[in-house]
Amino acid sequence: MTVRVLRRVRLEIEGTVQGVGFRPFVHRLAKELDLGGWVANSSSGALLEVEGPSELVETFVQRLSADAPAAARVEEVTLRPVSLSGETAFTIRASTDETDGMERRLVIAPDLATCEDCLREMRDTGDRRHRYPFLTCTQCGPRYSVITGIPYDRSRTTMEGFPLCARCRTEYETDADRRFHAESVACPRCGPQVVLWDAQGRSLAGRDAAVQQAGQFLREGRILAVKGLGGFQLWVDAGSDSAVIRLRERKRRPHKPFALLFPSLEAVRAACDLSGEEEALLTSPQAPILLLRRKTPAGLASAVAPDNPFVGAMLPNLPLQHLLMAELGVPMVATSGNRSEEPIVTDNQEALTRLQDIADAFLVHDRPIARPVDDSVVRVIEGEGVILRRARGYAPQAVPVPGPVPVPILAVGGHLKNTVALAQGDQVVLSQHLGDLGTAESVMAFRRAVDDLQTLLNGTPQLIACDLHPDYHSTRFAHELALRLAVPVVPVQHHHAHVAACMAEHGLTGEVLGVAWDGAGYGPDGTLWGGEFLIAGYAGYRRMAHLQPFRLPGGERAMREPRRLALAMLWEALGHDGLTITGPPRRSLGQDVDAIWTMVRQGVASPWTTGMGRLFDAVASLLDICQVATFEGQAAMAVEALAEQYERSPACVAERAETPSVIPLLEKTARLAETPSGSDWVADWRPMIRDLVRDLHRGFPPGCLAHRFHQALADLVGQAAQVAGLPRVVLTGG
């Protein structure tokens, strides 16, 4: 007779294990193996004990990671033996703040797109959740946007105000049900509801009638503010030029591309080129906005993305979006619910105030939003998805870092495209994308996000990292907070931060050649850097090379007017002759050309910079495709679009065979050891600008020159990599 050896172990699970059905999974696995014990959420992940025959306990431990729910991420399992208790049943216990000495970690999942099981129920006329806009289960629905505390329980979410009805309670407590311990579970009887308001906040319809009437408004070309998962969106018919132009005028966003919501994958295929990798991302639980090449004709209003071959496309990720898109059947603009440069609106009454002069009607609901979460933006490059804006579906996933940080560190980010982060142990937890800190509303959102991270992680920073730029709001805030907490502040050079962040994202250690290109970042010499080649690791960097410096006539104003950069570079490249042989007609540079030219020549109100973004601006102006920009990156996007369009033309093949690319010279300079910003090499763009002006006068098409410009910059990176002699090159920047 074989004697079975009994064993009991205690396991501490770290990773994304709350809000993803992990406890129900553990419960089912233990019951399948006939093991006793319990599982509970904790402040640092999940705690559990399991007891039974030794070989079955071993099987349980192995399957814990291998068979975990798709949305879960088991990062670390700590196991230790404990005394037998004779327990034969397995239960889910109430959450605990017990950590067994573990540092608190953010374990909550991002918000996840509606799963197929929930969609089937929503479409089933016989189901009690038929056409209900807030159905969810353990595998989908709101997480990060509704959580108010850790551990993750309904009482610590914005669903606290919606007590479960008897039928939902039964599902919640039945281990065989997919809503077993789904904290956001609800139904039409006990859950949130939608209401349609007019522009003054008067109720027009409720429940399903509100959805149907909202669809009718959109078919009529009206602008609808729709309260979603992490904030409001502004919707309008993407096929109507007049409707899209009206939205642009009201939102004060004349040119920046709008995101599009498509009713189905087939509708995306009809309008855009779509690879297998792109299709997988669109239909993933993250369901981001994906930058896709649009077809010609695409059936979309030209005002959706003016002069841009790409559109930002997404599929419905919420039940409410699925219901609306089923009503409409055509693509909709679904852009962030805000005025330009302001943070996304999350509150119903706030929406009436801030969006009243934009929206014709409001489709609202009564589930509060704990924090603003915009849509993520992703682009597939060489078959791999690259996150351009980390928000819904991805935030607040942590980035592991090599080796534990010595103390908790708060990083407060820069001025544009701000994100904040808290480093504890061996991970950095990133907030959602917050946006630019140029308005009082955005500054308030930034400060709330800083408090939010500390609350969710129960962490007080012992060190604060900020940008080196002394005038950023985030920098001033860092010094204020540090004074209040009596902790040190460490200013970090902007481009070194870019390189280190990219290294962490890809798990790199040691030294790399960091190519950090953007519009502007404050350098230790007091000038504005932005075209940098750094030999860098996490602890420090050396400036190996940079762009040949040039002037910013008018300072910040030059960043909004590419024509000013064109004049500055013509002066540097051609001297006094620059104004007489410019590429575009003189009238396209504006009436104040002479005044700007004088500023450049005399260096008045014209600080020096090495910003690669500004080089793109100058080329856009010289090619006469953007003289004044209405949003950040507009000129660079125009140059890229022109080059990319030319690359796909038959003329490009012939041109490449006949004419070599124009390559800026990477020239050796004297090493200035006593100057912190001194470098060994300089990338001299002046020969390239002289050749570009010459070729414009010779009649070369602008697309050809935009394409050569990109080739030249790629060649420049290759030259720098050869000089650096390092096996890894990190490409990063704004």
Side-chain angles (χ1 to χ4, degrees):
M1 179 177 176
T2 304
V3 178
R4 306 190 81 177
V5 177
L6 298 180
R7 181 186 179 198
R8 187 179 182 93
V9 296
R10 182 177 179 89
L11 297 106
E12 303 159 0
I13 314 296
E14 297 181 19
T16 304
V17 291
Q18 294 186 22
V20 291
F22 188 76
R23 288 176 302 163
F25 154 71
V26 171
H27 184 273
R28 287 191 295 271
L29 179 59
K31 288 190 69 174
E32 177 189 333
L33 297 173
D34 199 22
L35 299 172
W38 54 266
V39 62
N41 279 340
S42 77
S43 297
S44 299
L47 287 177
L48 63 103
E49 290 187 7
V50 63
E51 180 174 337
S54 181
E55 67 276 11
L56 294 180
V57 170
E58 187 65 32
T59 300
F60 174 89
V61 172
Q62 291 173 357
R63 291 179 60 184
L64 201 59
S65 298
D67 298 348
R73 211 166 60 165
V74 177
E75 295 173 358
E76 189 171 337
V77 179
T78 303
L79 179 151
R80 73 172 190 269
V82 293
S83 301
L84 294 170
S85 72
E87 197 171 12
T88 57
F90 196 92
T91 60
I92 294 180
R93 288 187 178 179
S95 298
T96 174
D97 285 328
E98 183 182 353
T99 63
D100 270 21
M102 290 190 293
E103 192 171 45
R104 178 182 278 195
R105 302 167 71 88
L106 192 64
V107 294
I108 191 64
D111 302 297
L112 302 173
T114 309
C115 70
E116 287 300 320
D117 288 331
C118 284
L119 287 177
R120 275 193 292 271
E121 290 176 341
M122 189 184 72
R123 294 163 181 158
D124 183 353
T125 56
D127 194 278
R128 72 189 186 95
R129 291 188 175 89
H130 176 236
R131 292 185 64 81
Y132 181 57
F134 301 97
L135 77 174
T136 179
C137 69
T138 55
Q139 293 304 302
C140 69
R143 301 293 190 269
Y144 184 51
S145 61
V146 298
I147 188 172
T148 56
I150 296 288
Y152 176 64
D153 286 310
R154 193 179 182 90
S155 62
R156 296 184 182 93
T157 73
T158 61
M159 292 296 292
E160 181 185 14
F162 300 94
L164 293 170
C165 67
R167 295 182 71 177
C168 285
R169 171 65 64 184
T170 298
E171 292 172 332
Y172 183 85
E173 294 175 348
T174 302
D175 60 7
D177 197 286
R178 79 173 200 282
R179 293 190 170 92
F180 183 43
H181 281 267
E183 306 303 347
S184 55
V185 63
C187 76
R189 181 181 291 274
C190 64
Q193 300 293 342
V194 293
V195 180
L196 183 66
W197 290 349
D198 66 12
Q200 285 71 48
R202 296 183 292 252
S203 177
L204 300 175
R207 299 196 175 225
D208 196 46
V211 177
Q212 295 183 33
Q213 192 168 336
Q216 180 59 34
F217 280 4
L218 288 165
R219 281 191 291 271
E220 293 169 358
R222 302 199 212 183
I223 299 169
L224 184 69
V226 180
K227 186 178 181 182
L229 191 84
F232 277 81
Q233 292 178 323
L234 293 166
W235 286 34
V236 76
D237 183 356
S240 168
D241 253 316
S242 60
V244 176
I245 290 170
R246 191 182 318 118
L247 176 59
R248 288 200 175 280
E249 290 170 348
R250 293 185 185 180
K251 193 173 162 71
R252 299 171 194 167
R253 183 170 162 173
H255 301 110
K256 191 174 183 179
F258 282 139
L260 299 181
L261 182 65
F262 286 82
S264 65
L265 194 60
E266 291 69 29
V268 178
R269 288 198 194 101
C272 307
D273 294 333
L274 194 62
S275 69
E277 293 86 359
E278 290 166 337
E279 182 174 321
L281 277 166
L282 276 177
T283 56
S284 69
Q286 290 74 33
I289 296 172
L290 202 62
L291 296 188
L292 299 173
R293 180 188 304 282
R294 60 174 161 182
K295 294 179 178 176
T296 306
L300 302 172
S302 59
V304 162
D307 303 317
N308 197 314
F310 290 87
V311 293
M314 60 179 162
L315 291 174
N317 58 82
L318 309 173
L320 180 58
Q321 291 180 345
H322 281 280
L323 289 171
L324 280 169
M325 295 309 287
E327 289 281 327
L328 296 160
V330 294
M332 291 285 128
V333 166
T335 188
S336 301
N338 56 6
R339 293 191 189 96
S340 287
E341 312 309 327
E342 291 185 359
I344 188 171
V345 177
T346 59
D347 177 76
N348 293 351
Q349 294 303 317
E350 181 190 11
L352 273 181
T353 302
R354 287 175 54 195
L355 304 179
Q356 191 175 49
D357 57 348
I358 301 177
D360 298 312
F362 296 79
L363 186 61
V364 302
H365 59 74
D366 54 353
R367 183 178 69 200
I369 296 171
R371 62 191 50 79
V373 184
D374 217 327
D375 295 309
S376 293
V377 181
V378 176
R379 183 174 183 176
V380 172
I381 300 174
E382 295 295 321
E384 183 178 345
V386 176
I387 300 174
L388 304 181
R389 185 169 79 187
R390 183 185 291 266
R392 177 186 53 77
Y394 296 96
Q397 286 179 342
V399 175
V401 291
V405 296
V407 295
I409 302 171
L410 172 69
V412 296
H415 182 73
L416 301 178
K417 300 182 284 291
N418 181 272
T419 301
V420 298
L422 189 62
Q424 288 189 161
D426 60 354
Q427 66 174 7
V428 177
V429 177
L430 294 160
S431 78
Q432 70 279 24
H433 163 84
L434 299 173
D436 300 348
L437 304 184
T439 64
E441 293 85 357
S442 61
V443 166
M444 288 175 59
F446 158 79
R447 290 177 175 246
R448 282 196 300 266
V450 171
D451 292 340
D452 197 33
L453 267 187
Q454 294 177 78
T455 299
L456 290 180
L457 285 167
N458 193 29
T460 301
Q462 302 301 304
L463 186 150
I464 301 174
C466 67
D467 196 278
L468 192 62
H469 199 301
D471 294 329
Y472 284 175
H473 174 83
S474 54
T475 300
R476 295 196 300 271
F477 170 82
H479 286 278
E480 293 168 13
L481 182 61
L483 191 63
R484 196 160 69 242
L485 298 176
V487 300
V489 176
V490 176
V492 181
Q493 201 283 319
H494 190 89
H495 302 96
H496 181 211
H498 271 307
V499 175
C502 192
M503 289 176 65
E505 185 179 1
H506 294 278
L508 303 180
T509 58
E511 277 194 336
V512 301
L513 169 62
V515 182
W517 290 353
D518 60 11
Y522 197 75
D525 58 352
T527 65
L528 296 174
W529 293 12
E532 309 307 313
F533 299 83
L534 308 179
I535 305 297
Y538 294 115
Y541 72 95
R542 178 173 67 81
R543 194 184 193 193
M544 186 199 89
H546 58 79
L547 280 189
Q548 174 76 28
F550 51 92
R551 295 279 190 181
L552 285 175
E556 285 194 13
R557 189 170 177 183
M559 301 179 189
R560 299 187 296 273
E561 297 182 21
R563 64 198 184 95
R564 290 174 176 261
L565 278 306
L567 290 168
M569 293 193 171
L570 287 169
W571 168 253
E572 294 295 328
L574 296 161
H576 290 283
D577 293 335
L579 195 56
T580 61
I581 58 173
T582 58
R586 184 185 176 98
R587 63 179 178 275
S588 69
L589 293 175
Q591 296 180 349
D592 52 354
V593 169
D594 291 328
I596 298 171
W597 189 252
T598 300
M599 290 174 67
V600 172
R601 286 190 297 107
Q602 297 180 357
V604 176
S606 301
W608 290 102
T609 184
T610 59
M612 179 61 78
R614 306 289 77 87
L615 180 58
F616 271 84
D617 289 351
V619 170
S621 173
L622 291 171
L623 298 178
D624 204 14
I625 54 176
C626 184
Q627 301 297 351
V628 177
T630 61
F631 67 92
E632 191 213 356
Q634 180 179 352
M637 288 170 64
V639 178
E640 179 185 0
L642 194 63
E644 202 268 346
Q645 182 182 21
Y646 181 78
E647 186 174 46
R648 295 167 65 86
S649 71
C652 182
V653 177
E655 186 271 330
R656 268 186 273 182
E658 294 176 8
T659 311
S661 64
V662 182
I663 302 174
L665 300 176
L666 193 65
E667 296 183 340
K668 193 80 161 69
T669 63
R671 177 72 175 166
L672 302 176
E674 70 279 11
T675 305
S677 62
S679 65
D680 292 321
W681 299 82
V682 62
D684 191 352
W685 45 265
R686 291 174 298 185
M688 181 176 62
I689 292 295
R690 288 193 287 266
D691 287 350
L692 187 146
V693 171
R694 178 202 65 200
D695 289 341
L696 273 172
H697 280 278
R698 290 169 58 192
F700 279 71
C704 167
L705 300 180
H707 187 264
R708 287 194 198 175
F709 172 63
H710 280 80
Q711 281 186 308
L713 296 183
D715 290 339
L716 174 61
V717 174
Q719 291 178 54
Q722 287 183 323
V723 169
L726 292 169
R728 293 169 303 176
V729 178
V730 163
L731 305 175
T732 183

